[in-house]
Every structure is written in structure tokens, then in C-alpha cells.
Amino acid sequence: MSFGNRAPRGVLRRRTPLLLAGAALAALAGSAVTPLNASAAAAGCSVEYDVTNDWGSGFVASVKITNTGAALSNWELEWDFAGGQQITGGWNATYDQSGSHVSATNVSHNGTLSSGAETTIGFQGTGGGADPTAFTLNGVTCDGSDPGDPGDPGDPGDPGGPTASLVGWATQNGGTNGGAEGQTVSVSSASALVSAMQRSDPLVIRVSGTINLSGMNDVASNKTIIGAGGARITGGGLDVDGVRDVIIQNLTFSNWADDAINVQEGSTNVWIDHNTFTTGYDGAVDIKRESDFVTVSWNHLDGSGKSMLLGHSDGHTADRGHLRVTYHHNWFDGSQTRHPRVRFGDPVHVFNNYYYDNEYGVASTMGAGVLVEGNYFENVEDPALVGYASSDDGDIVARNNHLVGSGAIETAGSVNSIPYSYSPDSATSVKSIVTSGAGAD
């Protein structure tokens, strides 16, 4: 079986560090190794295998590969599962599985690994059991040393975590780690959740069951809020207000009385990822009042009304120079408007989202600059609008989008350059990629 790109979710649950490399043609027991050309031959490497989310019947894993030997122009990582696990989707590599044996081959953007360079791949799978205990890279068994210096144990790298899959504006300004430096707590009641969110120390908060909130509830800096499978927040919302470094993942929001998630008052470095939003009073994800460096990724908006507002009002000119946000791989599924509705922010990056049966997709107003790239629009009356309602026009640059039964994309002016690296999927494949990967478990 082969698997294409999907994005990961979750936070660290268990880690198997494996230091790789060295012996000339050693391979995993029972596996055949196809010789590779000289430029691909591995001299040494290390691997760190992390299960980032585990809900019993399935899991998400991140695999960090560090090249401790000579430069590589392409690579193939192989291992055997010990517990009957089966990969159902992956990202940053092409995966093939036969029985328990798995091979992961580089894709175009990560094939070249100079000495000391690293890349992270990952996948979602079913089943459970023991983690892999042996890997080979280009046919060489992994133990972490460089054959040219057998006494050097290599560098196992940083412990990793949810930022392995982070793309976009939240990677800037020092990056976004949430509560990764703190302890992990589990909550299943509104009082426990609110108390944990408002603690001053870094914290990973694991949410289980259905939690009924009232009103908007503050989230302090350095927090990761992640749902166990099926976790739901209803009635109220999360207020990310004047803070830094917040990650919100794998939650379903419903029947919110104000906003589901409100990012405001200069909050920075926020990542909103792999959540599901049904219907509520106002915005599903609103970002405003000088907030900045935000990524909104792999969310499923299922019938929402006012989906995603970016910018408080036409009169709030203090938003100029802020509101730099990336929206990617979101599924706007019969949701009505604001995907997003943008004021002032430039550049705002909207790429590889799937729009289905919406009133309008993107609106750029009040001098905003929006790059609309590689999206799939299906049955969308107005995929992108220059200006909206009584707001002054903004700018839109559009490229490589795919339209099915939809109106025209309006464009105007120019947009500031995107400062971070990213690898967009082909627009024609976005529908299948996003519908199979977006939303909460």
C-alpha cells in the first residue's frame, strides 16, 4: 500500500529514541534492501520515533531523521512494526507497507540531507503495541554513530513535539511550542479545564469527554490544549487574549454563545489545528486587535455561519502591520461566509483549503493583502472578493487554484512576500487530501 500526504495532530505521548548508523550493508531481519546509487549511500544517521497521539484503536507518529554521515541526495527509511500496526495516511514521505514491513521514501522537498541535517516525517495508523526498535536508512542499520568516527554517538536531536507539522506564520517570531516545556494534565470537567488554562506555568492540557463552558474563558501563555478522541467543548469558547505561545488541537466545538476561539489583544504565536467546528452564535475562529503570527490548519468547519474573521473593524487601524496569518488545509464544508474575511493584514496566506458550497470564500478589505493559492473551490458563488459590504478594497493575488461549479476569483494589486518555507499540494488533489485529514478525531 502507498500513502500520500496528510498532516499530523496531537502532542507527545511516548518516545523511542533510536541512534542510528554505521555497518555497511546491514538490513532489518527478513527485509530485502535494494541497492541505491552512491550519492544516496548512508554513512550514519539517527532516528527519533514519537507517538504524538494515541487513542487506543489508532495513533499518530512522528519520525525525526538526522543525517550524521555524508550528504544524501535521496533516502529510504525502513522498519518493522511489532504490534500489527497499519499505516492509513502519511506526510513528508511516500509510504509502502507489506505486512509488518514499512518503507518511507523521501518526497521532492526533503530528499537532500547534508551532513548534520534533519527532516521529520509522520503518519497515522491503526492498531497498537510495541514501537519499532530498529531502522535502516538506505540499507544501513541505525545506531547513531558515524563510521568515520566510531566513538562519536551522534546527536539524537531535540525531543520534538507538535511543532513537527507546523507550517506558516506561527513558525515565525521565535516559533510556537505551546506548553511543550511543562507537565501534562488531564481534565474532564469545565472547572478543571478553566483552572488549567489559566495557570501561569507551561502546560499540556489533555481534554476528554464533553465539557460545557459558559461564556469566553481565558487561555494563558504557553499552553497546549488537546482533545483525546471525541473530546468536545460546547456552550462557550476559548479566549486567547494578550498572550503568547498557544496550541489548540483535536477538539470539536459546538453551540458556542459568542466565539468558539477568539484570538485578540496582541496575542502572538498561536496554532489552531485539527479541530471541528459545527454551529454557534458568532465566529468559529476570530483573530483581531493586533494579533500576529498565527497558523490555522486542518480544521473542519461543518455548516458554520460566520466562520473566520481576521481584523476587528474598519475603524481599528491599529491592526495595520499585524494580522499575519496562514490558513491551510481547512475544510469549509457548507459553511457560509468569512473563510476568511480579512482587514489590514498583509500578507495573509490562504493555501490548499477545500471550499464546498459556500456563499463566498475569501474577502480582502481595508488594504489587506491576501495570497490565495492552490485551493479547491466547489460550488462557491464567489471564491474570492476584492472588497466586501461597506469596507474599502484590499488586494488579492491568486495562483494555481482549482474551480468546480464556482464563480470567478477577483484579484487586484499586489501582496507582500511570504517569508517561510512551505510545499503546497496540487490544487486538484486538495479535496481528497483535506476531506481525509481535516477535523478532530
Side-chain angles (χ1 to χ4, degrees), residues 147-284:
D149 182 8
D152 180 4
D155 180 3
D158 297 326
T163 56
S165 65
L166 180 57
V167 175
W169 274 112
T171 64
Q172 305 297 289
N173 192 43
T176 303
N177 297 295
E181 295 182 1
Q183 63 177 323
T184 299
V185 299
S186 297
V187 301
S188 58
S189 69
S191 60
L193 173 61
V194 171
S195 176
M197 292 192 305
Q198 295 176 1
R199 282 173 49 170
S200 60
D201 54 322
L203 205 62
V204 175
I205 305 166
R206 293 187 58 82
V207 181
S208 61
T210 296
I211 292 182
N212 293 282
L213 291 178
S214 177
M216 299 302 295
N217 298 268
D218 288 340
V219 180
S221 294
N222 306 115
K223 297 294 181 291
T224 296
I225 306 168
I226 179 168
R232 178 179 291 266
I233 291 178
T234 187
L238 307 183
D239 193 17
V240 183
D241 188 341
V243 298
R244 174 187 169 87
D245 219 344
V246 172
I247 298 172
I248 302 170
Q249 291 179 312
N250 204 39
L251 293 164
T252 294
F253 293 84
S254 62
N255 300 318
W256 52 92
D258 190 348
D259 295 329
I261 299 175
N262 183 29
V263 181
Q264 64 173 342
E265 304 300 345
S267 292
T268 62
N269 296 90
V270 179
W271 183 22
I272 299 167
D273 174 71
H274 275 104
N275 301 288
T276 295
F277 301 88
T278 58
T279 57
Y281 173 72
D282 200 1

Side-chain angles (χ1 to χ4, degrees), residues 9-13 51-53 161-162 204 206 224 226 247 249:
R9 63 194 77 182
V11 298
L12 182 64
R13 286 293 303 277
V51 172
T52 58
N53 198 4
V204 175
R206 293 187 58 82
T224 296
I226 179 168
I247 298 172
Q249 291 179 312

Side-chain angles (χ1 to χ4, degrees), residues 128-438:
D131 296 336
T133 57
F135 289 81
T136 64
L137 188 71
N138 291 0
V140 175
T141 304
C142 306
D143 63 11
S145 63
D146 182 340
D149 182 8
D152 180 4
D155 180 3
D158 297 326
T163 56
S165 65
L166 180 57
V167 175
W169 274 112
T171 64
Q172 305 297 289
N173 192 43
T176 303
N177 297 295
E181 295 182 1
Q183 63 177 323
T184 299
V185 299
S186 297
V187 301
S188 58
S189 69
S191 60
L193 173 61
V194 171
S195 176
M197 292 192 305
Q198 295 176 1
R199 282 173 49 170
S200 60
D201 54 322
L203 205 62
V204 175
I205 305 166
R206 293 187 58 82
V207 181
S208 61
T210 296
I211 292 182
N212 293 282
L213 291 178
S214 177
M216 299 302 295
N217 298 268
D218 288 340
V219 180
S221 294
N222 306 115
K223 297 294 181 291
T224 296
I225 306 168
I226 179 168
R232 178 179 291 266
I233 291 178
T234 187
L238 307 183
D239 193 17
V240 183
D241 188 341
V243 298
R244 174 187 169 87
D245 219 344
V246 172
I247 298 172
I248 302 170
Q249 291 179 312
N250 204 39
L251 293 164
T252 294
F253 293 84
S254 62
N255 300 318
W256 52 92
D258 190 348
D259 295 329
I261 299 175
N262 183 29
V263 181
Q264 64 173 342
E265 304 300 345
S267 292
T268 62
N269 296 90
V270 179
W271 183 22
I272 299 167
D273 174 71
H274 275 104
N275 301 288
T276 295
F277 301 88
T278 58
T279 57
Y281 173 72
D282 200 1
V285 179
D286 284 1
I287 302 167
K288 56 195 180 185
R289 295 184 181 274
E290 301 106 82
S291 294
D292 221 344
F293 305 109
V294 180
T295 293
V296 181
S297 60
W298 294 94
N299 299 287
H300 182 192
L301 282 85
D302 188 3
S304 303
K306 300 174 182 178
S307 301
M308 295 184 176
L309 177 68
L310 182 56
H312 175 64
S313 67
D314 291 355
H316 194 76
T317 58
D319 275 336
R320 289 196 180 105
H322 303 285
L323 302 182
R324 286 167 287 190
V325 181
T326 303
Y327 300 85
H328 74 88
H329 292 91
N330 299 289
W331 180 6
F332 299 114
D333 183 8
S335 49
Q336 297 172 20
T337 62
R338 301 184 180 181
H339 309 106
R341 186 203 198 283
V342 183
R343 296 179 174 100
F344 300 115
D346 185 10
V348 174
H349 194 190
V350 180
F351 79 94
N352 282 167
N353 301 283
Y354 173 47
Y355 294 82
Y356 175 72
D357 201 22
N358 318 111
E359 181 180 324
Y360 76 83
V362 180
S364 179
T365 72
M366 303 306 298
V370 185
L371 174 59
V372 179
E373 178 182 19
N375 301 284
Y376 192 119
F377 295 94
E378 184 173 4
N379 299 338
V380 181
E381 183 177 345
D382 292 299
L385 296 170
V386 173
Y388 182 73
S390 61
S391 300
D392 293 341
D393 291 355
D395 294 334
I396 291 177
V397 171
R399 62 188 184 211
N400 303 326
N401 296 284
H402 183 65
L403 303 176
V404 176
S406 298
I409 295 176
E410 294 183 2
T411 61
S414 61
V415 175
N416 288 332
S417 61
I418 302 298
Y420 49 80
S421 299
Y422 65 104
S423 299
D425 294 306
S426 167
T428 56
S429 65
V430 162
K431 177 178 179 178
S432 61
I433 292 171
V434 170
T435 56
S436 64

